[in-house]
Amino acid sequence: MVQATGILIARPRPGLRRGRALFSLYPLLVLGLALFVVYPLGMLLAQAVQADGRLSAGTVLGLLRESYYRAVLLNTLLLGVSVAGLGTVLATGYAYAMTRVAMPGKKFFHFVALLPTISPPILMALSLILLYGRRGLITNGLLGLQSTLLYGFWGLTAAQVLAYFPFAYLLLLNLFRGLDASLEEAAWTMGAHPGKILTTVTLPLLIPGLASAVLLLFSYSFADLGNPLLLGGDYPVLAAQIYLTIIGLYDMPRGAALALILLFPVTLVFFAHKRLAERAAFASIGGRASSMRHPQFRHPAVRIGGLLFCGGVCLLILLQYATVLGGAVTRLFGINHTLTLKHFASALTASRDALVDTIGLAAAASAVSGVAGLLIAYFVARSRVPGRGALDFVASLPLAIPGTVVGLGFAIAFNRPPFLLTGTALIIVAAFVVRSIPYSIRSGVAALRQVDVSLDEASTSMGATSFQTLWRVILPLLRPAVLAGMIFTFTRSVTTLSAVIFVVSPHWALVTPTILSQMDRGDVGEAAALSVVLIVLVLLVIHGVPRLLGRDWREGTAA
Amino acid sequence: MSTGTAKALELRGLRKAYRLPGGRSVPAVRDFSLRVEPGEFVTLLGPSGSGKTTVLRTLAGLEEPDAGEILLDGVPLTPLPPHQRHIGLVFQNYALFPHLTVFENVAYSLRIRRTPDVRIRDEVEAALKTLGLEELASRLPGQLSGGQQQRVALARALVMHPDLLLFDEPLSNLDAKLRFQVRSELRRLQKRLGITALYVTHDQAEAMSLSDRIAVMRDGRVEQVGTPEAIYARPATLFVADFIGRVNILPGRVVDRGGSGVTVEALDRRWNVAADRCPGAAGEVLVLLRPEAVGLTEAGQGDLAGTVEELEYRGDQTEYRIQIGGVHVVVVESSPRRTRRIVEGDRVGLRVFEDTLHILPAQREG
């Protein structure tokens, strides 16, 4: 017995010895995350909680004592709650109709609902201003009103619901699809009509999912910067206040303290959302699911209701896009509707640098995020390296942090030695990567869980190093997931505003801040044209790149 | 608890095809007709993909048939949505609502129909008692064993006093021992309550032990309907013979026809087969010989002589593969009560129970 144990111990452990090439990258990832996630957050925190060179909560508490900032906080909360409630109702109805009602046009409805998820959120502000602003087509042109409710709570709610409800829709769509179909069928055979099934079985089972959607929308609304800057009016909210404090007053400590106040509830809500989302996914596993084909209700009233609802929501979304397109091809939307291409010409000449820089930097970020995301996913899901849990946590942290806070952290941390990066391309790429790598990791881990470990073991037992296993066995199987992650990074990078607004520089212009400043100057035509170009570009990448790369990159786990 | 008068079910010319994403359509049920008498227990038995579950789901209203009629005591069901059909369905995975207690699961159909609370309590308690679940009323489904979940699913279907009770492989998620026990309980309960029942399974033992009649399905059609005895002893087609139990299929030739049957030649010997066991047989035929319809004897005795090529000992039974003049015959015997063990290579005699022979025409299966 003793001898046998001795033999076992003396045997080399192939998994550890062969993995050196790959594992040498591990410290690199740790350093990268430390530099671009931990360090900026630390610097932001340090900036916020020091006064006169000493540690103090004075700035934060001082802000909270001012009634103005308390009002700002209350405004932000109220807006978040309204957007979360309204958006979840919309998303629930939409996901229900898409999964349970037999109606035509589902592909179209799905496509339209996804448009806002690939557009810069400020697009909604832009179109709402064109339609309902002081010179808006509807408010001024059709109704002849001089004033408008747009600038403030109502406009912000409308813009954010339209911009963010699709994210909740996507979340709920998966949950509606994941529910065990036989539960609803059982209720149906026991005498419940479609409405009763929804209220007694479907919705009660989806409560964790609904709560998770509410929290998701709440944190998106809380973190949104673009819409409040354009539509805020006399309704100040936190994210916009941070921007104005930094850019207008150049008061870094105050800005950092405000960022901390923003960060706290968002992080809290985010982790609550994460826990609920896990429970929601869990609730759908009820024994062995008999069939995943859910009842498709055919009752005429249900079908007409579903069509009217989805059609109405689609019309609302399309109206915004049509308006932006209209703004892009007319001289001055709302006043002079002569067709013109001059805005597009200007978007492609005056804003050419911004476009080229954005595409180049976003592409670079996609590559980095794809590779680093896959590596981290591999370490998290497949290895036993110490600290991989912490690595995963730190890399996923940016999910919980509003873009404004990330951007401000970068601005504070990299504006001084030892890491003077302001004005470089690196800081922008890093901001893009930090914002998107959590998604690359999640999609990589999810895809890796689908690949049986025995494949790794077979490869290793045949003498492959862990690098060879990753390259020759895992990567080919994960290609769709990696590509999906990279396209997501690209989309998110070219449409984000909050994360980059503090780190753009004259050397490296980006599209979304350019749109914002054009709006500020009143060049709505140019802003609209540039937005259209950006959306077309994203659509081309999303639909074109997988097609160009061929079948191997499209099939399988790509979501 | 008991139901009102049981109802007769009639299915006429049912058809259903599934459309695949590519636009192709795959027929699942083609021209399916069946009549189930009031209070009768009929099983749809067939391999997976034979369309039996589709028939069941069409009855419940969960699928719409492309053509055909469903009549319950002469009343057409097809225009009605599932919630107006009053048909109980026990799902393969039980489909218990995970957010409701056992009591509330069983009470569900009564609450939907706005039954007064007092009556709900009485009815649910009666249903739980029938199935021995009184103790579990306040549990959630997640806290029950598979067998208990199965009972709750049954109680939930019974409490609505359905006109028709449907079962979709309800025992397939239970372990072998429990399946055996629940099987006999199920049969007793259905007999006592007298509900018309349609049961779907691919397990022939389940079908045999539960059913008044069995409808064997293949490729969306009924291959044969009959009592378990009729299906086993007098299969109408080679498919039925092969699917139900095991069978030796021997080439043969009809050499003589008499009033009481035919004489057939197979294994170099002549056999007399009764008239009801050789429907329309003439010329080249297939002779079906069940493995248990042969007994082994000492070499030189019996009807046939052969050599044991292989044997498999299974405890209660022993299976022999015996070569008889170039033809292999499988014989299954209850484990021998004889003293001398037979070993591979032994010469043996075989006694065939001639009455059990069954004859089918020799055409190829289409």
Side-chain angles (χ1 to χ4, degrees):
Chain A
M1 197 57 202
V2 174
Q3 261 179 335
T5 316
I7 291 164
L8 278 177
I9 289 169
R11 214 172 60 181
R13 293 157 77 183
L16 287 178
R17 281 211 346 200
R18 293 225 175 92
R20 260 184 224 143
L22 189 58
F23 285 83
S24 63
L25 294 171
Y26 185 69
L28 211 64
L29 292 170
V30 172
L31 277 180
L33 288 175
L35 182 59
F36 290 112
V37 178
V38 180
Y39 180 63
L41 278 178
M43 289 302 282
L44 178 87
L45 208 66
Q47 185 76 256
V49 297
Q50 69 175 3
D52 311 324
R54 284 184 304 120
L55 191 67
S56 150
T59 319
V60 177
L61 293 176
L63 281 173
L64 289 174
R65 265 195 293 272
E66 286 181 42
S67 64
Y68 177 73
Y69 284 107
R70 281 212 303 275
V72 168
L73 188 60
L74 205 66
N75 281 350
T76 315
L77 283 171
L78 186 63
L79 179 66
V81 169
S82 312
V83 170
L86 212 58
T88 302
V89 170
L90 269 188
T92 307
Y94 214 85
Y96 175 77
M98 292 290 285
T99 53
R100 299 293 191 273
V101 179
M103 60 180 192
K106 283 188 182 175
K107 270 191 180 152
F108 172 75
F109 291 145
H110 186 67
F111 175 80
V112 172
L114 289 192
L115 277 178
T117 68
I118 58 158
S119 315
I122 44 168
L123 183 128
M124 292 304 166
L126 171 57
S127 67
L128 288 175
I129 288 171
L130 289 174
L131 287 173
Y132 304 100
R134 291 191 184 95
R135 286 186 329 206
L137 182 67
I138 292 175
T139 36
N140 190 262
L142 290 177
L143 306 173
L145 298 173
Q146 292 301 316
S147 65
T148 170
L149 280 174
L150 181 68
Y151 298 95
F153 175 77
W154 297 107
L156 275 175
T157 305
Q160 291 189 342
V161 166
L162 283 173
Y164 296 129
F165 103 85
F167 292 95
Y169 157 66
L170 280 182
L171 176 89
L172 290 172
L173 185 71
N174 281 328
L175 295 177
F176 268 104
R177 282 195 180 139
L179 270 188
D180 182 353
S182 64
L183 295 176
E184 285 156 84
E185 290 177 347
W188 210 6
T189 60
M190 283 189 284
H193 59 75
K196 262 276 186 263
I197 299 174
L198 180 67
T199 54
T200 58
V201 177
T202 318
L203 288 182
L205 288 173
L206 286 181
I207 284 174
L210 295 172
S212 156
V214 166
L215 294 176
L216 182 78
L217 291 177
F218 183 81
S219 70
Y220 276 14
S221 160
F222 232 70
D224 184 23
L225 174 63
N227 289 311
L229 281 182
L230 292 171
L231 297 176
D234 52 1
Y235 191 85
V237 295
L238 265 176
Q241 285 302 305
I242 296 172
Y243 177 79
L244 296 174
T245 309
I246 301 290
I247 302 294
L249 308 172
Y250 207 74
D251 188 343
M252 275 289 181
R254 206 162 233 246
L258 279 172
L260 203 63
I261 296 173
L262 176 68
L263 182 62
F264 186 66
V266 171
T267 313
L268 213 66
V269 160
F270 175 79
F271 283 107
H273 153 77
K274 209 175 147 198
R275 288 200 60 151
L276 279 171
E278 278 158 14
R279 265 184 57 192
F282 205 68
S284 63
I285 306 162
R288 217 194 296 166
S290 66
S291 114
M292 275 304 164
R293 286 161 24 93
H294 289 94
Q296 296 280 306
F297 300 121
R298 299 185 164 276
H299 192 274
V302 177
R303 298 174 78 169
I304 290 169
L307 269 178
L308 283 180
F309 181 77
C310 288
V313 172
C314 272
L315 217 59
L316 215 58
I317 294 173
L318 287 177
L319 178 64
Q320 313 304 317
Y321 284 83
T323 305
V324 171
L325 190 62
V329 297
T330 51
R331 284 195 176 273
L332 188 53
F333 194 78
I335 307 241
N336 180 352
H337 291 155
T338 317
L339 291 181
T340 175
L341 285 176
K342 77 168 185 174
H343 299 313
F344 276 109
S346 149
L348 294 173
T349 54
S351 308
R352 204 182 72 107
D353 286 351
L355 272 170
V356 171
D357 289 355
T358 303
I359 294 170
L361 297 178
S366 301
V368 175
S369 174
V371 172
L374 178 66
L375 282 174
I376 294 175
Y378 182 80
F379 286 129
V380 168
R382 280 291 206 264
S383 79
R384 280 180 220 149
V385 290
R388 62 186 192 284
L391 186 77
D392 187 26
F393 178 80
V394 170
S396 304
L397 206 53
L399 270 183
I401 301 172
T404 317
V405 177
V406 172
L408 187 56
F410 268 53
I412 293 171
F414 302 122
N415 198 19
R416 64 189 76 174
F419 305 110
L420 184 58
L421 298 175
T422 306
T424 63
L426 179 62
I427 191 172
I428 295 171
V429 172
F432 284 163
V433 171
V434 162
R435 289 281 283 158
S436 59
I437 203 166
Y439 298 95
S440 293
I441 297 173
R442 290 278 79 79
S443 97
V445 168
L448 269 174
R449 297 239 157 97
Q450 310 259 309
V451 178
D452 201 282
V453 189
S454 63
L455 290 182
D456 294 31
E457 291 167 352
S459 170
T460 309
S461 74
M462 286 183 275
T465 64
S466 55
F467 180 76
Q468 287 170 320
T469 302
L470 184 68
W471 182 253
R472 288 176 179 273
V473 179
I474 309 227
L475 187 62
L477 291 169
L478 258 53
R479 273 192 291 207
V482 172
L483 180 68
M486 287 175 68
I487 288 178
F488 181 85
T489 303
F490 183 85
T491 307
R492 200 173 155 83
S493 299
V494 300
T495 55
T496 188
L497 171 71
S498 56
V500 292
I501 198 154
F502 294 119
V503 296
V504 285
S505 56
H507 309 292
W508 299 96
L510 294 176
V511 171
T512 45
T514 307
I515 295 175
L516 186 70
S517 59
Q518 285 166 340
M519 295 283 300
D520 253 1
R521 288 202 307 267
D523 295 337
V524 283
E526 268 179 52
L530 197 51
S531 301
V532 171
V533 171
L534 188 65
I535 291 166
V536 170
L537 182 77
V538 170
L539 282 176
L540 277 178
V541 168
I542 290 179
H543 292 282
V545 171
R547 219 151 281 183
L548 279 178
L549 288 173
R551 284 177 76 88
D552 292 351
W553 293 85
R554 266 177 286 155
E555 287 173 353
T557 43
Chain B
M1 51 186 300
S2 70
T3 57
T5 41
K7 297 202 174 177
L9 169 71
E10 182 144 16
L11 296 157
R12 284 193 205 142
L14 208 62
R15 281 170 204 278
K16 170 76 187 174
Y18 289 111
R19 266 162 292 282
L20 297 183
R24 228 154 44 84
S25 95
V26 178
V29 177
R30 8 182 163 198
D31 201 17
F32 180 96
S33 298
L34 180 72
R35 189 181 156 78
V36 182
E37 300 302 328
E40 197 183 17
F41 194 115
V42 173
T43 296
L44 302 182
L45 174 66
S48 54
S50 59
K52 49 196 192 314
T53 296
T54 304
V55 171
L56 207 70
R57 292 175 57 83
T58 309
L59 276 172
L62 299 173
E63 306 282 353
E64 274 183 57
D66 298 333
E69 273 188 301
I70 303 169
L71 303 169
L72 203 57
D73 264 3
V75 180
L77 281 185
T78 348
L80 298 179
H83 60 278
Q84 289 168 8
R85 290 198 181 191
H86 210 59
I87 290 178
L89 173 54
V90 178
F91 287 81
Q92 183 171 16
N93 66 341
Y94 319 134
L96 300 181
F97 304 130
H99 60 300
L100 300 180
T101 60
V102 167
F103 185 96
E104 286 303 323
N105 260 286
V106 176
Y108 187 85
S109 62
L110 303 173
R111 293 219 188 278
I112 290 294
R113 272 179 284 164
R114 301 182 188 287
T115 314
D117 276 354
V118 186
R119 244 195 75 202
I120 289 183
R121 208 188 56 224
D122 293 347
E123 296 251 354
V124 173
E125 275 170 6
L128 291 177
K129 191 156 179 267
T130 309
L131 286 145
L133 291 165
E134 305 102 308
E135 311 284 306
L136 305 174
S138 58
R139 298 252 190 108
L140 287 171
Q143 303 165 314
L144 303 179
S145 71
Q148 290 166 336
Q149 291 185 14
Q150 216 278 331
R151 282 156 201 268
V152 177
L154 189 55
R156 193 174 69 169
L158 290 176
V159 82
M160 59 192 276
H161 304 303
D163 292 336
L164 177 67
L165 197 49
L166 306 176
F167 297 91
D168 186 8
E169 310 221 11
L171 306 185
S172 62
N173 286 342
L174 300 180
D175 64 53
K177 232 177 188 158
L178 201 55
R179 199 180 311 161
F180 193 75
Q181 183 195 336
V182 176
R183 200 158 85 188
S184 47
E185 279 178 28
L186 196 63
R187 179 62 172 149
R188 274 201 298 276
L189 198 62
Q190 186 266 343
K191 276 257 179 263
R192 182 151 68 82
L193 301 176
I195 308 176
T196 313
L198 198 65
Y199 189 99
V200 156
T201 184
H202 63 265
D203 181 329
Q204 42 158 313
E206 220 168 280
M208 289 279 171
S209 60
L210 280 169
S211 322
D212 293 318
R213 283 189 304 148
I214 295 173
V216 181
M217 285 190 71
R218 180 197 190 190
D219 294 338
R221 291 192 187 88
V222 174
E223 191 89 352
Q224 183 177 5
V225 192
T227 60
E229 295 80 6
I231 296 263
Y232 189 77
R234 291 187 291 279
T237 66
L238 204 55
F239 173 82
V240 174
D242 200 33
F243 188 71
I244 315 271
R246 302 179 59 195
V247 69
N248 292 297
I249 300 161
L250 309 168
R253 197 163 52 84
V254 175
V255 291
D256 189 26
R257 293 192 79 91
S260 62
V262 301
T263 306
V264 64
E265 196 177 87
L267 295 171
D268 295 329
R269 210 185 158 286
R270 293 193 167 199
W271 313 91
N272 293 315
V273 179
D276 65 334
R277 291 184 164 274
C278 49
E284 301 296 318
V285 293
L286 297 174
V287 179
L288 307 185
L289 173 63
R290 295 283 182 192
E292 71 280 6
V294 186
L296 297 187
T297 62
E298 295 294 322
Q301 296 179 5
D303 310 308
L304 296 163
T307 311
V308 177
E309 282 199 336
E310 255 178 63
L311 63 81
E312 188 181 298
Y313 179 69
R314 294 194 201 128
D316 60 337
Q317 290 182 330
T318 307
E319 179 176 317
Y320 304 90
R321 198 172 134 91
I322 295 171
Q323 201 194 28
I324 306 167
V327 179
H328 290 103
V329 173
V330 173
V331 174
V332 175
E333 269 202 333
S334 286
S335 276
R337 285 159 290 233
R338 68 175 67 84
T339 43
R340 196 180 72 81
R341 250 192 85 205
I342 295 174
V343 294
E344 282 167 14
D346 278 1
R347 293 283 301 167
V348 290
L350 295 92
R351 170 157 299 138
V352 174
F353 297 89
E354 205 171 350
D355 291 351
T356 68
L357 291 180
H358 188 76
I359 287 176
L360 290 175
Q363 75 228 15
R364 289 230 50 83
E365 287 278 308

